[in-house]
């Protein structure tokens, strides 16, 4: 037997939960004026080298990169922001006016050690608000994320925020951080020894060396006046909206393109892997990818992580079954049953037997599929145009015409029915 690749999952029995979750997130985004952007699953490797950063763990260790038949270096997308920014530039979306408000949903790929909520093919739902440098855009983006979490029924999450400064003030902080960590260099984990030279900010969110981060310099003490003012305004906006948050200097995010505001949503009941989503501001990314300087901010949720959080809170939805199962008395009514199922499918979720079950077997299968109603088709029903409609929960039955079936099942009002 050929098995699925390690770090991937088949989504079959839970697919309806995934559909429900994605639809909830999508509806909130649409209500905030965002439109969907669908980008390719693979991109030129250079896109991620330039945006995510050559010295990040993603580029150094985790990307699925290969050479195609044309000799081009291709990478399966490890995150969603860079492809959307590439699409923004390539499709000249700035000419349509700013801000551009885009969302995306789909699979991402990173070669990591598989564990709960972290797979090699994982899924993200993300949004990008492109065009504003103002802290009100940060506040709106965080509000949007919170509304999404509320829409799916999560309320045990924690919002953590920080500022990573910008190209003016961050270099001073980097030097202070290196000076602090230098005496501990020999005691750091192997990854952090490499990060010390390549990306010292990443030492702050290393789980193995967390004890050293506790007393590390705080970037908020090194912010320039502009970055401090931006961060103070964001905090005021969150306070005014009564949004609870914690300023956490260890929140730096793992990608090079972040500037100023960064944030994460944590769900403590998930243990060590407690981040369910996060994002931040990336004011220089579009320019670094060859476009003009267009400030932007965004975030992404991990779909697998959200589902784990919903399971922990016992908030997974009860997915409803069929609305109607159409039952045929014998072989002679099979096609008529199929015709009626086709007509009803314009309004409801329907099914019809294709396995040759007898009437008892069809009723049993209707119960298994959690059908709310059954419609029975026999010779008499075909002659009179009156069909036996049964409420599978109450056992109540009526003789009704097709139009009456639609009214009863949709609950649209009083109907003329004949007791069966």
């Amino acid at each position: 037997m050929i098995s699925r690749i390690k770090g991937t999952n088949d989504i079959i029995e839970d697919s309806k939960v995934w559909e429900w979750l994605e639809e909830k997130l999508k509806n909130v985004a649409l209500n905030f004026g965002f439109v969907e952007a669908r980008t390719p699953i693979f991109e030129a490797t250079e896109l991620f080298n330039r945006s995510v950063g050559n010295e990040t763990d993603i580029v150094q260790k985790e990307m699925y990169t290969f050479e195609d038949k044309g000799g081009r270096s291709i990478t399966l997308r490890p995150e969603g922001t860079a492809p959307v920014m590439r699409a923004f530039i390539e499709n000249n979306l700035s000419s349509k006016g700013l801000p551009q408000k885009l969302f995306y949903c789909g699979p991402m790929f990173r070669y990591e050690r598989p564990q709960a909520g972290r797979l090699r093919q994982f899924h993200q739902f993300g949004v990008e608000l492109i065009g504003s440098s103002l802290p009100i855009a940060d506040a709106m983006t965080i509000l949007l994320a919170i509304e999404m979490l509320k829409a799916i029924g999560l309320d045990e999450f924690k919002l953590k925020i920080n500022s990573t400064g910008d190209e003016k003030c961050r270099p001073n902080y980097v030097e202070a951080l290196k000076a602090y960590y230098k005496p501990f260099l020999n005691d750091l984990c192997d990854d952090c020894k490499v990060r010390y030279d390549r990306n010292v900010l990443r030492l702050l969110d290393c789980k193995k060396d967390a004890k050293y981060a506790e007393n590390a310099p705080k970037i908020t003490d090194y912010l320039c006046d502009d970055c401090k003012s931006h961060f103070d305004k964001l905090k005021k906006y969150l306070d005014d909206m009564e949004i609870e948050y914690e300023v956490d200097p260890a929140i730096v995010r793992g990608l090079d393109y972040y500037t100023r505001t960064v944030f994460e949503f944590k769900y403590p009941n998930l243990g060590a892997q407690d981040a369910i989503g996060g994002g931040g501001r990336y004011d220089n990314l579009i320019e670094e990818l060859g476009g003009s300087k267009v400030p932007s901010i965004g975030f992404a949720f991990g779909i697998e992580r959200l589902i784990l959080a919903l399971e922990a809170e016992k908030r997974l939805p009860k997915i409803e079954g069929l609305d109607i199962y159409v039952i045929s008395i014998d072989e002679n009514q099979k096609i008529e049953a199929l015709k009626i199922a086709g007509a009803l499918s314009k309004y409801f979720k329907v099914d019809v037997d294709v396995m040759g079950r007898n009437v008892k077997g069809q009723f049993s299968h209707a119960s298994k599929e959690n059908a709310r109603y059954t419609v029975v088709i026999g010779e008499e029903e075909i002659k009179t145009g009156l069909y036996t409609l049964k409420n599978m929960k109450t056992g109540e039955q009526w003789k009704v015409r097709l139009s009456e079936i639609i009214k009863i099942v949709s609950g649209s009002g009083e109907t003329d029915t004949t007791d069966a």
Side-chain angles (χ1 to χ4, degrees), residues 13 15 45 154 160 189 209 221 294 311 330 346 395 409 419:
E13 293 184 1
S15 63
T45 302
L154 286 179
K160 296 191 175 186
C189 70
D209 294 326
D221 295 332
V294 183
E311 289 175 343
D330 57 42
K346 296 178 177 64
V409 177
D419 289 337

Side-chain angles (χ1 to χ4, degrees), residues 126-191:
V127 305
E128 317 291 353
L129 198 165
I130 306 170
S132 175
S133 63
L134 302 177
I136 192 67
D138 304 29
M140 176 187 174
T141 303
I142 291 173
L143 174 64
L144 170 61
I146 290 173
E147 291 302 319
M148 286 182 174
L149 293 175
K150 289 180 178 178
I152 64 174
L154 286 179
D155 53 22
E156 296 296 325
F157 58 86
K158 305 293 183 184
L159 168 63
K160 296 191 175 186
I161 66 172
N162 191 25
S163 175
T164 58
D166 61 13
E167 60 272 15
K168 292 185 236 175
C169 54
R170 191 183 299 167
N172 291 333
Y173 177 64
V174 168
E175 290 305 313
L177 207 56
K178 282 191 170 184
Y180 168 77
Y181 272 102
K182 190 173 182 178
F184 311 119
L185 198 51
N186 291 332
D187 300 320
L188 299 178
C189 70
D190 290 340
D191 285 338

Side-chain angles (χ1 to χ4, degrees), residues 14 48 52 63 74 123 125 197 215 227 268 320 389 412:
D14 294 333
F48 303 110
V52 175
M63 294 203 311
I74 304 296
H123 300 76
F125 188 102
D197 291 316
N215 298 314
C227 288
E320 295 182 356
L389 176 67
S412 60

Side-chain angles (χ1 to χ4, degrees), residues 34-167:
F34 286 73
V35 297
E36 186 172 9
R38 301 191 183 195
T39 63
I41 285 178
F42 56 85
E43 300 270 1
T45 302
E46 184 186 7
L47 174 66
F48 303 110
N49 289 343
R50 290 171 63 180
S51 60
V52 175
N54 276 318
E55 306 304 329
T56 61
D57 285 357
I58 292 175
V59 172
Q60 289 286 323
K61 301 178 181 180
E62 299 169 4
M63 294 203 311
Y64 280 90
T65 298
F66 59 95
E67 188 175 285
D68 71 2
K69 292 183 178 181
R72 294 170 289 258
S73 182
I74 304 296
T75 295
L76 300 180
R77 62 185 183 193
E79 58 93 39
T81 295
V84 172
M85 296 306 105
R86 190 268 310 149
F88 172 85
I89 298 168
E90 191 166 348
N91 293 280
N92 195 26
L93 295 184
S94 60
S95 67
K96 302 182 183 300
L98 297 174
Q100 288 290 308
K101 299 159 73 176
L102 306 174
F103 72 87
Y104 60 87
C105 183
M108 310 291 162
F109 305 86
R110 297 183 193 176
Y111 191 85
E112 298 185 278
R113 182 170 61 86
Q115 51 190 294
R118 175 178 287 179
L119 299 171
R120 290 173 178 172
Q121 177 179 307
F122 59 101
H123 300 76
Q124 286 186 339
F125 188 102
V127 305
E128 317 291 353
L129 198 165
I130 306 170
S132 175
S133 63
L134 302 177
I136 192 67
D138 304 29
M140 176 187 174
T141 303
I142 291 173
L143 174 64
L144 170 61
I146 290 173
E147 291 302 319
M148 286 182 174
L149 293 175
K150 289 180 178 178
I152 64 174
L154 286 179
D155 53 22
E156 296 296 325
F157 58 86
K158 305 293 183 184
L159 168 63
K160 296 191 175 186
I161 66 172
N162 191 25
S163 175
T164 58
D166 61 13
E167 60 272 15

Side-chain angles (χ1 to χ4, degrees), residues 93-368:
L93 295 184
S94 60
S95 67
K96 302 182 183 300
L98 297 174
Q100 288 290 308
K101 299 159 73 176
L102 306 174
F103 72 87
Y104 60 87
C105 183
M108 310 291 162
F109 305 86
R110 297 183 193 176
Y111 191 85
E112 298 185 278
R113 182 170 61 86
Q115 51 190 294
R118 175 178 287 179
L119 299 171
R120 290 173 178 172
Q121 177 179 307
F122 59 101
H123 300 76
Q124 286 186 339
F125 188 102
V127 305
E128 317 291 353
L129 198 165
I130 306 170
S132 175
S133 63
L134 302 177
I136 192 67
D138 304 29
M140 176 187 174
T141 303
I142 291 173
L143 174 64
L144 170 61
I146 290 173
E147 291 302 319
M148 286 182 174
L149 293 175
K150 289 180 178 178
I152 64 174
L154 286 179
D155 53 22
E156 296 296 325
F157 58 86
K158 305 293 183 184
L159 168 63
K160 296 191 175 186
I161 66 172
N162 191 25
S163 175
T164 58
D166 61 13
E167 60 272 15
K168 292 185 236 175
C169 54
R170 191 183 299 167
N172 291 333
Y173 177 64
V174 168
E175 290 305 313
L177 207 56
K178 282 191 170 184
Y180 168 77
Y181 272 102
K182 190 173 182 178
F184 311 119
L185 198 51
N186 291 332
D187 300 320
L188 299 178
C189 70
D190 290 340
D191 285 338
C192 282
K193 287 175 182 175
V194 175
R195 290 167 181 158
Y196 179 84
D197 291 316
R198 291 179 172 175
N199 190 351
V200 70
L201 291 178
R202 292 301 312 281
L203 273 65
L204 295 173
D205 60 5
C206 176
K207 299 292 190 294
K208 294 179 181 177
D209 294 326
K211 62 182 180 181
Y212 299 113
E214 292 176 2
N215 298 314
K218 294 179 172 55
I219 193 168
T220 46
D221 295 332
Y222 290 79
L223 297 179
C224 62
D225 290 342
D226 287 344
C227 288
K228 185 176 186 305
S229 174
H230 187 104
F231 195 47
D232 287 342
K233 286 181 180 178
L234 170 61
K235 290 186 288 183
K236 182 181 185 305
Y237 292 148
L238 296 179
D239 291 337
D240 289 346
M241 290 189 291
E242 298 183 347
I243 292 175
E244 294 184 8
Y245 63 88
E246 174 189 344
V247 176
D248 185 349
I251 300 294
V252 293
R253 309 292 294 160
L255 312 180
D256 279 1
Y257 55 63
Y258 284 114
T259 56
R260 293 191 173 177
T261 303
V262 289
F263 57 92
E264 286 187 358
F265 289 94
K266 304 278 193 177
Y267 187 80
N269 289 348
L270 294 184
Q273 300 297 330
D274 61 350
I276 56 177
R281 177 167 285 283
Y282 38 90
D283 290 344
N284 303 318
L285 178 56
I286 292 176
E287 186 177 24
E288 290 170 359
L289 294 177
S292 56
K293 188 173 179 63
V294 183
S296 306
I297 186 170
F299 68 86
F301 286 120
I303 300 296
E304 287 87 350
R305 295 287 182 87
L306 292 179
I307 289 175
L308 286 175
L310 286 167
E311 289 175 343
E313 281 196 37
K314 295 182 170 49
R315 295 290 180 88
L316 282 176
K318 292 182 179 179
I319 302 299
E320 295 182 356
L322 291 175
D323 293 311
I324 302 172
Y325 192 102
V326 183
I327 293 173
S328 54
I329 296 295
D330 57 42
E331 185 66 28
N332 296 328
Q333 290 84 47
K334 291 291 185 185
I335 291 300
E336 188 66 21
L338 189 57
K339 288 180 182 178
I340 290 173
L344 292 172
S345 70
K346 296 178 177 64
Y347 309 94
F348 309 110
K349 291 181 288 185
V350 303
D351 198 5
V352 64
D353 177 56
V354 296
M355 299 302 293
R357 297 181 177 92
N358 60 24
V359 173
K360 182 178 179 181
Q362 291 176 67
F363 270 107
S364 177
H365 193 237
S367 296
K368 185 177 179 181

